[in-house]
Structures are given as C-alpha cells and as structure tokens.
Amino acid sequence: MVRDLGRAVVAAYLPIVERRRGLPFGEAERTWQLRRRGRYVEFNLIYDRGTLFGLKTTAGSSRS
C-alpha cells in the first residue's frame, strides 16, 4: 500500500513540476512564499487547538 501511495504521489506531482518548471522565480515570488509561510505559522500558533494546548502547558517550563 505504501509503495502504491508513493507511486501515486510521484505520478500526480511530476506533471505539476513539468508545467511550472519554466515559470520565473524571483524576489516577488520569494516574498509571497515567505508571507504564506508566516500565515501558516500564525494559524498554527493561534488557532490550532493542539498547538495552543502545547503552548499553555507548563511541562518543561523550569528550563532557563
């Protein structure tokens, strides 16, 4: 099953890479990428219950 899954991911991903390989990638695209990553981190730290629970725990907080 895992091998089939791996093959399916590669088969689905390769056409996307081939289609986008020639597109330009410069400073504007890098800035957009960093902004999107920042929003993802913000969501995980603020809204995701599991992360929020982890931030509120006191385990290991005695470290300096």
Side-chain angles (χ1 to χ4, degrees), residues 5-21:
L5 180 61
R7 289 184 189 115
V9 168
V10 170
Y13 189 67
L14 283 179
I16 296 169
V17 172
E18 288 294 324
R19 187 174 66 239
R20 296 181 177 262
R21 181 172 34 172

Side-chain angles (χ1 to χ4, degrees), residues 4-62:
D4 290 340
L5 180 61
R7 289 184 189 115
V9 168
V10 170
Y13 189 67
L14 283 179
I16 296 169
V17 172
E18 288 294 324
R19 187 174 66 239
R20 296 181 177 262
R21 181 172 34 172
L23 294 177
F25 188 86
E27 197 58 38
E29 289 77 21
R30 179 70 176 148
T31 300
W32 181 87
Q33 183 183 48
L34 292 173
R35 182 172 291 132
R36 293 294 293 177
R37 288 180 181 172
R39 288 180 182 162
Y40 176 78
V41 169
E42 178 185 12
F43 169 80
N44 278 332
L45 290 177
I46 294 174
Y47 300 108
D48 184 40
R49 285 186 185 180
T51 303
L52 189 59
F53 174 78
L55 292 173
K56 287 182 178 181
T57 59
T58 58
S61 63
S62 62

